[in-house]
Amino acid sequence: VDYQMKLISNAKNELVDLAFTFKVKAIGAAFKNGLGVELRGIRPSQVYSVKGNSLKTGIHKIAANGLEEGTEWLTFIAFDNAFDLLPYAGGGVTGVNTTVGAPVQRIRTETVVVNFMQDGKAPNGTPISVKAITMDQFNPFMIVNQKRGVEIHLPDMPPTALADRSLFGTKEDASSEGSGRWYKTKNNFLPWALNVSMDVPYPIEKVSLEKAYPYFAKWVQSNGSEYADWYVEKYRENSALYK
């Protein structure tokens, strides 16, 4: 999924809206995954409304202002089933836009707007300064196959209040709440999710990321000190990437 976040402010540099644009480009396999966003440090009571999200399954409890209930920080669900935004195109394969030779599904864009001000007033009377919003607060996560408690976050980003903490440290996961280590594997601490700062091609169905990007593992194992640009064209194995 590609995403973009736009901050909309007033003349006083106060936050009016956050507009999130999401573009689901591909779906591997057949799980009906969803996508949520948590903005840490911002309370649900500081939001007037959330509009534009795609919620059809009923697995999420949504408050009157459009945020998810039961969370500590501002949390909204962008969509609860990726297949609603990128429907299966047929062809006898699993996934969408991941198998060479299978029908290609057109990509569409979803925009979710979080509103913080109405008629120039904040819900609690205390506007949020645009300078108070940083990317460190941005905590996107996947909800796995309609199971709300099964979250996948970016490495070392914490789970939401609704995550099933009994899963941490099981099977291949090395998450440890006491050490602040989240969403990494036991072997070499590979991440369960990645955030890349540019649009990059993804592997063909059933091809590992490490085969498509041979320097990815070296970047991880060096704790980011080597091959920080592992995803650029000169390091790619193009035969393993979907076009």
PDB file of all heavy atoms in Angstrom, residues 89-120:
ATOM      1  N   ALA A  89      -9.304 -10.394  -9.247  1.00  0.00           N
ATOM      2  CA  ALA A  89      -9.510 -10.242 -10.692  1.00  0.00           C
ATOM      3  C   ALA A  89      -9.688 -11.564 -11.432  1.00  0.00           C
ATOM      4  O   ALA A  89      -9.864 -11.579 -12.651  1.00  0.00           O
ATOM      5  CB  ALA A  89      -8.328  -9.477 -11.292  1.00  0.00           C
ATOM      6  N   GLY A  90      -9.618 -12.680 -10.705  1.00  0.00           N
ATOM      7  CA  GLY A  90      -9.785 -13.982 -11.349  1.00  0.00           C
ATOM      8  C   GLY A  90      -8.474 -14.529 -11.889  1.00  0.00           C
ATOM      9  O   GLY A  90      -7.398 -14.068 -11.536  1.00  0.00           O
ATOM     10  N   GLY A  91      -8.574 -15.518 -12.736  1.00  0.00           N
ATOM     11  CA  GLY A  91      -7.384 -16.094 -13.351  1.00  0.00           C
ATOM     12  C   GLY A  91      -6.865 -17.328 -12.659  1.00  0.00           C
ATOM     13  O   GLY A  91      -5.800 -17.845 -13.012  1.00  0.00           O
ATOM     14  N   GLY A  92      -7.586 -17.835 -11.642  1.00  0.00           N
ATOM     15  CA  GLY A  92      -7.193 -19.069 -10.996  1.00  0.00           C
ATOM     16  C   GLY A  92      -5.958 -18.979 -10.128  1.00  0.00           C
ATOM     17  O   GLY A  92      -5.288 -19.989  -9.879  1.00  0.00           O
ATOM     18  N   VAL A  93      -5.625 -17.786  -9.642  1.00  0.00           N
ATOM     19  CA  VAL A  93      -4.456 -17.608  -8.781  1.00  0.00           C
ATOM     20  C   VAL A  93      -4.902 -16.986  -7.465  1.00  0.00           C
ATOM     21  O   VAL A  93      -6.011 -16.481  -7.343  1.00  0.00           O
ATOM     22  CB  VAL A  93      -3.400 -16.695  -9.453  1.00  0.00           C
ATOM     23  CG1 VAL A  93      -2.919 -17.305 -10.757  1.00  0.00           C
ATOM     24  CG2 VAL A  93      -3.966 -15.297  -9.706  1.00  0.00           C
ATOM     25  N   THR A  94      -4.019 -17.019  -6.468  1.00  0.00           N
ATOM     26  CA  THR A  94      -4.315 -16.326  -5.225  1.00  0.00           C
ATOM     27  C   THR A  94      -3.769 -14.902  -5.305  1.00  0.00           C
ATOM     28  O   THR A  94      -2.869 -14.617  -6.096  1.00  0.00           O
ATOM     29  CB  THR A  94      -3.673 -17.035  -4.025  1.00  0.00           C
ATOM     30  OG1 THR A  94      -2.260 -17.095  -4.231  1.00  0.00           O
ATOM     31  CG2 THR A  94      -4.218 -18.435  -3.862  1.00  0.00           C
ATOM     32  N   GLY A  95      -4.328 -14.032  -4.488  1.00  0.00           N
ATOM     33  CA  GLY A  95      -3.842 -12.663  -4.469  1.00  0.00           C
ATOM     34  C   GLY A  95      -4.320 -11.839  -5.646  1.00  0.00           C
ATOM     35  O   GLY A  95      -5.027 -12.309  -6.538  1.00  0.00           O
ATOM     36  N   VAL A  96      -3.912 -10.580  -5.636  1.00  0.00           N
ATOM     37  CA  VAL A  96      -4.269  -9.622  -6.687  1.00  0.00           C
ATOM     38  C   VAL A  96      -3.006  -8.848  -7.081  1.00  0.00           C
ATOM     39  O   VAL A  96      -2.292  -8.331  -6.219  1.00  0.00           O
ATOM     40  CB  VAL A  96      -5.343  -8.628  -6.205  1.00  0.00           C
ATOM     41  CG1 VAL A  96      -5.760  -7.698  -7.351  1.00  0.00           C
ATOM     42  CG2 VAL A  96      -6.553  -9.353  -5.652  1.00  0.00           C
ATOM     43  N   ASN A  97      -2.750  -8.766  -8.358  1.00  0.00           N
ATOM     44  CA  ASN A  97      -1.599  -8.028  -8.893  1.00  0.00           C
ATOM     45  C   ASN A  97      -0.272  -8.535  -8.328  1.00  0.00           C
ATOM     46  O   ASN A  97       0.628  -7.761  -8.034  1.00  0.00           O
ATOM     47  CB  ASN A  97      -1.735  -6.516  -8.617  1.00  0.00           C
ATOM     48  CG  ASN A  97      -2.897  -5.894  -9.363  1.00  0.00           C
ATOM     49  OD1 ASN A  97      -3.521  -6.527 -10.203  1.00  0.00           O
ATOM     50  ND2 ASN A  97      -3.191  -4.645  -9.049  1.00  0.00           N
ATOM     51  N   THR A  98      -0.163  -9.867  -8.208  1.00  0.00           N
ATOM     52  CA  THR A  98       1.090 -10.448  -7.710  1.00  0.00           C
ATOM     53  C   THR A  98       1.603 -11.595  -8.579  1.00  0.00           C
ATOM     54  O   THR A  98       2.753 -12.007  -8.413  1.00  0.00           O
ATOM     55  CB  THR A  98       0.935 -10.979  -6.274  1.00  0.00           C
ATOM     56  OG1 THR A  98      -0.101 -11.965  -6.242  1.00  0.00           O
ATOM     57  CG2 THR A  98       0.618  -9.851  -5.305  1.00  0.00           C
ATOM     58  N   THR A  99       0.773 -12.104  -9.480  1.00  0.00           N
ATOM     59  CA  THR A  99       1.163 -13.252 -10.295  1.00  0.00           C
ATOM     60  C   THR A  99       1.312 -12.832 -11.747  1.00  0.00           C
ATOM     61  O   THR A  99       0.365 -12.298 -12.346  1.00  0.00           O
ATOM     62  CB  THR A  99       0.125 -14.385 -10.189  1.00  0.00           C
ATOM     63  OG1 THR A  99       0.009 -14.787  -8.816  1.00  0.00           O
ATOM     64  CG2 THR A  99       0.535 -15.584 -11.034  1.00  0.00           C
ATOM     65  N   VAL A 100       2.471 -13.077 -12.319  1.00  0.00           N
ATOM     66  CA  VAL A 100       2.736 -12.722 -13.716  1.00  0.00           C
ATOM     67  C   VAL A 100       1.820 -13.531 -14.629  1.00  0.00           C
ATOM     68  O   VAL A 100       1.687 -14.745 -14.484  1.00  0.00           O
ATOM     69  CB  VAL A 100       4.212 -12.993 -14.067  1.00  0.00           C
ATOM     70  CG1 VAL A 100       4.466 -12.703 -15.550  1.00  0.00           C
ATOM     71  CG2 VAL A 100       5.131 -12.151 -13.199  1.00  0.00           C
ATOM     72  N   GLY A 101       1.156 -12.853 -15.561  1.00  0.00           N
ATOM     73  CA  GLY A 101       0.266 -13.510 -16.500  1.00  0.00           C
ATOM     74  C   GLY A 101      -1.176 -13.556 -16.067  1.00  0.00           C
ATOM     75  O   GLY A 101      -2.062 -13.817 -16.883  1.00  0.00           O
ATOM     76  N   ALA A 102      -1.454 -13.301 -14.782  1.00  0.00           N
ATOM     77  CA  ALA A 102      -2.833 -13.275 -14.294  1.00  0.00           C
ATOM     78  C   ALA A 102      -3.462 -11.928 -14.616  1.00  0.00           C
ATOM     79  O   ALA A 102      -2.765 -10.938 -14.872  1.00  0.00           O
ATOM     80  CB  ALA A 102      -2.852 -13.519 -12.793  1.00  0.00           C
ATOM     81  N   PRO A 103      -4.801 -11.842 -14.611  1.00  0.00           N
ATOM     82  CA  PRO A 103      -5.452 -10.557 -14.881  1.00  0.00           C
ATOM     83  C   PRO A 103      -4.991  -9.477 -13.903  1.00  0.00           C
ATOM     84  O   PRO A 103      -4.783  -9.744 -12.720  1.00  0.00           O
ATOM     85  CB  PRO A 103      -6.944 -10.867 -14.672  1.00  0.00           C
ATOM     86  CG  PRO A 103      -7.059 -12.335 -14.924  1.00  0.00           C
ATOM     87  CD  PRO A 103      -5.776 -12.934 -14.423  1.00  0.00           C
ATOM     88  N   VAL A 104      -4.827  -8.264 -14.409  1.00  0.00           N
ATOM     89  CA  VAL A 104      -4.380  -7.136 -13.595  1.00  0.00           C
ATOM     90  C   VAL A 104      -5.599  -6.333 -13.145  1.00  0.00           C
ATOM     91  O   VAL A 104      -6.472  -6.016 -13.958  1.00  0.00           O
ATOM     92  CB  VAL A 104      -3.406  -6.236 -14.385  1.00  0.00           C
ATOM     93  CG1 VAL A 104      -3.018  -5.017 -13.561  1.00  0.00           C
ATOM     94  CG2 VAL A 104      -2.167  -7.025 -14.790  1.00  0.00           C
ATOM     95  N   GLN A 105      -5.647  -6.019 -11.862  1.00  0.00           N
ATOM     96  CA  GLN A 105      -6.770  -5.246 -11.326  1.00  0.00           C
ATOM     97  C   GLN A 105      -6.390  -3.773 -11.229  1.00  0.00           C
ATOM     98  O   GLN A 105      -5.276  -3.431 -10.814  1.00  0.00           O
ATOM     99  CB  GLN A 105      -7.160  -5.772  -9.943  1.00  0.00           C
ATOM    100  CG  GLN A 105      -8.375  -5.102  -9.323  1.00  0.00           C
ATOM    101  CD  GLN A 105      -9.641  -5.276 -10.146  1.00  0.00           C
ATOM    102  OE1 GLN A 105      -9.879  -4.489 -11.067  1.00  0.00           O
ATOM    103  NE2 GLN A 105     -10.419  -6.296  -9.839  1.00  0.00           N
ATOM    104  N   ARG A 106      -7.296  -2.926 -11.634  1.00  0.00           N
ATOM    105  CA  ARG A 106      -7.058  -1.486 -11.572  1.00  0.00           C
ATOM    106  C   ARG A 106      -6.949  -1.012 -10.121  1.00  0.00           C
ATOM    107  O   ARG A 106      -7.743  -1.397  -9.269  1.00  0.00           O
ATOM    108  CB  ARG A 106      -8.195  -0.742 -12.274  1.00  0.00           C
ATOM    109  CG  ARG A 106      -8.034   0.769 -12.288  1.00  0.00           C
ATOM    110  CD  ARG A 106      -9.237   1.422 -12.965  1.00  0.00           C
ATOM    111  NE  ARG A 106      -9.144   2.880 -12.934  1.00  0.00           N
ATOM    112  CZ  ARG A 106     -10.089   3.699 -13.373  1.00  0.00           C
ATOM    113  NH1 ARG A 106     -11.201   3.198 -13.884  1.00  0.00           N
ATOM    114  NH2 ARG A 106      -9.941   4.993 -13.318  1.00  0.00           N
ATOM    115  N   ILE A 107      -5.963  -0.164  -9.856  1.00  0.00           N
ATOM    116  CA  ILE A 107      -5.732   0.370  -8.515  1.00  0.00           C
ATOM    117  C   ILE A 107      -6.565   1.627  -8.312  1.00  0.00           C
ATOM    118  O   ILE A 107      -6.630   2.486  -9.183  1.00  0.00           O
ATOM    119  CB  ILE A 107      -4.235   0.685  -8.320  1.00  0.00           C
ATOM    120  CG1 ILE A 107      -3.415  -0.604  -8.439  1.00  0.00           C
ATOM    121  CG2 ILE A 107      -3.986   1.348  -6.972  1.00  0.00           C
ATOM    122  CD1 ILE A 107      -1.927  -0.361  -8.517  1.00  0.00           C
ATOM    123  N   ARG A 108      -7.190   1.733  -7.161  1.00  0.00           N
ATOM    124  CA  ARG A 108      -7.949   2.943  -6.844  1.00  0.00           C
ATOM    125  C   ARG A 108      -7.445   3.548  -5.536  1.00  0.00           C
ATOM    126  O   ARG A 108      -6.769   2.886  -4.751  1.00  0.00           O
ATOM    127  CB  ARG A 108      -9.444   2.647  -6.770  1.00  0.00           C
ATOM    128  CG  ARG A 108      -9.898   2.042  -5.477  1.00  0.00           C
ATOM    129  CD  ARG A 108     -11.404   1.777  -5.487  1.00  0.00           C
ATOM    130  NE  ARG A 108     -11.967   1.933  -4.154  1.00  0.00           N
ATOM    131  CZ  ARG A 108     -13.130   1.382  -3.807  1.00  0.00           C
ATOM    132  NH1 ARG A 108     -13.818   0.677  -4.670  1.00  0.00           N
ATOM    133  NH2 ARG A 108     -13.603   1.570  -2.587  1.00  0.00           N
ATOM    134  N   THR A 109      -7.808   4.795  -5.324  1.00  0.00           N
ATOM    135  CA  THR A 109      -7.305   5.552  -4.175  1.00  0.00           C
ATOM    136  C   THR A 109      -8.423   5.804  -3.169  1.00  0.00           C
ATOM    137  O   THR A 109      -9.561   6.089  -3.548  1.00  0.00           O
ATOM    138  CB  THR A 109      -6.703   6.895  -4.643  1.00  0.00           C
ATOM    139  OG1 THR A 109      -5.608   6.627  -5.515  1.00  0.00           O
ATOM    140  CG2 THR A 109      -6.212   7.710  -3.468  1.00  0.00           C
ATOM    141  N   GLU A 110      -8.095   5.685  -1.886  1.00  0.00           N
ATOM    142  CA  GLU A 110      -9.036   6.000  -0.814  1.00  0.00           C
ATOM    143  C   GLU A 110      -8.461   7.150   0.011  1.00  0.00           C
ATOM    144  O   GLU A 110      -7.272   7.159   0.325  1.00  0.00           O
ATOM    145  CB  GLU A 110      -9.236   4.782   0.088  1.00  0.00           C
ATOM    146  CG  GLU A 110     -10.169   5.064   1.266  1.00  0.00           C
ATOM    147  CD  GLU A 110     -10.113   3.980   2.321  1.00  0.00           C
ATOM    148  OE1 GLU A 110      -9.000   3.658   2.786  1.00  0.00           O
ATOM    149  OE2 GLU A 110     -11.180   3.480   2.696  1.00  0.00           O
ATOM    150  N   THR A 111      -9.298   8.114   0.351  1.00  0.00           N
ATOM    151  CA  THR A 111      -8.861   9.243   1.171  1.00  0.00           C
ATOM    152  C   THR A 111      -9.666   9.288   2.460  1.00  0.00           C
ATOM    153  O   THR A 111     -10.898   9.299   2.435  1.00  0.00           O
ATOM    154  CB  THR A 111      -9.015  10.578   0.419  1.00  0.00           C
ATOM    155  OG1 THR A 111      -8.212  10.540  -0.765  1.00  0.00           O
ATOM    156  CG2 THR A 111      -8.553  11.740   1.294  1.00  0.00           C
ATOM    157  N   VAL A 112      -8.971   9.284   3.572  1.00  0.00           N
ATOM    158  CA  VAL A 112      -9.595   9.368   4.898  1.00  0.00           C
ATOM    159  C   VAL A 112      -9.204  10.708   5.514  1.00  0.00           C
ATOM    160  O   VAL A 112      -8.016  11.035   5.588  1.00  0.00           O
ATOM    161  CB  VAL A 112      -9.142   8.219   5.807  1.00  0.00           C
ATOM    162  CG1 VAL A 112      -9.773   8.355   7.192  1.00  0.00           C
ATOM    163  CG2 VAL A 112      -9.500   6.870   5.194  1.00  0.00           C
ATOM    164  N   VAL A 113     -10.187  11.488   5.931  1.00  0.00           N
ATOM    165  CA  VAL A 113      -9.937  12.812   6.503  1.00  0.00           C
ATOM    166  C   VAL A 113     -10.299  12.808   7.982  1.00  0.00           C
ATOM    167  O   VAL A 113     -11.429  12.474   8.363  1.00  0.00           O
ATOM    168  CB  VAL A 113     -10.732  13.907   5.770  1.00  0.00           C
ATOM    169  CG1 VAL A 113     -10.490  15.269   6.422  1.00  0.00           C
ATOM    170  CG2 VAL A 113     -10.352  13.947   4.296  1.00  0.00           C
ATOM    171  N   VAL A 114      -9.319  13.168   8.823  1.00  0.00           N
ATOM    172  CA  VAL A 114      -9.540  13.313  10.265  1.00  0.00           C
ATOM    173  C   VAL A 114      -9.661  14.802  10.555  1.00  0.00           C
ATOM    174  O   VAL A 114      -8.735  15.576  10.310  1.00  0.00           O
ATOM    175  CB  VAL A 114      -8.371  12.706  11.060  1.00  0.00           C
ATOM    176  CG1 VAL A 114      -8.645  12.813  12.560  1.00  0.00           C
ATOM    177  CG2 VAL A 114      -8.146  11.242  10.674  1.00  0.00           C
ATOM    178  N   ASN A 115     -10.820  15.213  11.069  1.00  0.00           N
ATOM    179  CA  ASN A 115     -11.117  16.634  11.295  1.00  0.00           C
ATOM    180  C   ASN A 115     -10.923  17.016  12.762  1.00  0.00           C
ATOM    181  O   ASN A 115     -11.460  16.371  13.662  1.00  0.00           O
ATOM    182  CB  ASN A 115     -12.562  16.936  10.868  1.00  0.00           C
ATOM    183  CG  ASN A 115     -12.962  18.370  11.161  1.00  0.00           C
ATOM    184  OD1 ASN A 115     -13.855  18.611  11.948  1.00  0.00           O
ATOM    185  ND2 ASN A 115     -12.294  19.322  10.529  1.00  0.00           N
ATOM    186  N   PHE A 116     -10.132  18.069  12.989  1.00  0.00           N
ATOM    187  CA  PHE A 116      -9.802  18.521  14.345  1.00  0.00           C
ATOM    188  C   PHE A 116     -10.464  19.851  14.708  1.00  0.00           C
ATOM    189  O   PHE A 116     -10.419  20.250  15.867  1.00  0.00           O
ATOM    190  CB  PHE A 116      -8.286  18.688  14.495  1.00  0.00           C
ATOM    191  CG  PHE A 116      -7.526  17.400  14.412  1.00  0.00           C
ATOM    192  CD1 PHE A 116      -7.110  16.909  13.185  1.00  0.00           C
ATOM    193  CD2 PHE A 116      -7.235  16.673  15.547  1.00  0.00           C
ATOM    194  CE1 PHE A 116      -6.396  15.720  13.098  1.00  0.00           C
ATOM    195  CE2 PHE A 116      -6.528  15.483  15.474  1.00  0.00           C
ATOM    196  CZ  PHE A 116      -6.111  14.998  14.245  1.00  0.00           C
ATOM    197  N   MET A 117     -11.046  20.543  13.716  1.00  0.00           N
ATOM    198  CA  MET A 117     -11.650  21.847  13.999  1.00  0.00           C
ATOM    199  C   MET A 117     -12.927  22.021  13.189  1.00  0.00           C
ATOM    200  O   MET A 117     -12.989  21.645  12.019  1.00  0.00           O
ATOM    201  CB  MET A 117     -10.691  22.982  13.638  1.00  0.00           C
ATOM    202  CG  MET A 117      -9.542  23.184  14.600  1.00  0.00           C
ATOM    203  SD  MET A 117      -8.626  24.697  14.199  1.00  0.00           S
ATOM    204  CE  MET A 117      -8.619  25.491  15.782  1.00  0.00           C
ATOM    205  N   GLN A 118     -13.928  22.594  13.832  1.00  0.00           N
ATOM    206  CA  GLN A 118     -15.150  22.971  13.146  1.00  0.00           C
ATOM    207  C   GLN A 118     -15.492  24.405  13.547  1.00  0.00           C
ATOM    208  O   GLN A 118     -15.504  24.726  14.735  1.00  0.00           O
ATOM    209  CB  GLN A 118     -16.296  22.017  13.505  1.00  0.00           C
ATOM    210  CG  GLN A 118     -16.112  20.634  12.913  1.00  0.00           C
ATOM    211  CD  GLN A 118     -17.317  19.752  13.157  1.00  0.00           C
ATOM    212  OE1 GLN A 118     -18.370  20.213  13.618  1.00  0.00           O
ATOM    213  NE2 GLN A 118     -17.183  18.474  12.856  1.00  0.00           N
ATOM    214  N   ASP A 119     -15.733  25.213  12.523  1.00  0.00           N
ATOM    215  CA  ASP A 119     -16.020  26.642  12.743  1.00  0.00           C
ATOM    216  C   ASP A 119     -14.916  27.312  13.554  1.00  0.00           C
ATOM    217  O   ASP A 119     -15.167  28.184  14.401  1.00  0.00           O
ATOM    218  CB  ASP A 119     -17.368  26.812  13.459  1.00  0.00           C
ATOM    219  CG  ASP A 119     -18.526  26.264  12.652  1.00  0.00           C
ATOM    220  OD1 ASP A 119     -18.486  26.390  11.407  1.00  0.00           O
ATOM    221  OD2 ASP A 119     -19.441  25.679  13.249  1.00  0.00           O
ATOM    222  N   GLY A 120     -13.677  26.859  13.308  1.00  0.00           N
ATOM    223  CA  GLY A 120     -12.526  27.463  13.955  1.00  0.00           C
ATOM    224  C   GLY A 120     -12.317  27.072  15.403  1.00  0.00           C
ATOM    225  O   GLY A 120     -11.496  27.677  16.101  1.00  0.00           O
TER     226      GLY A 120
END
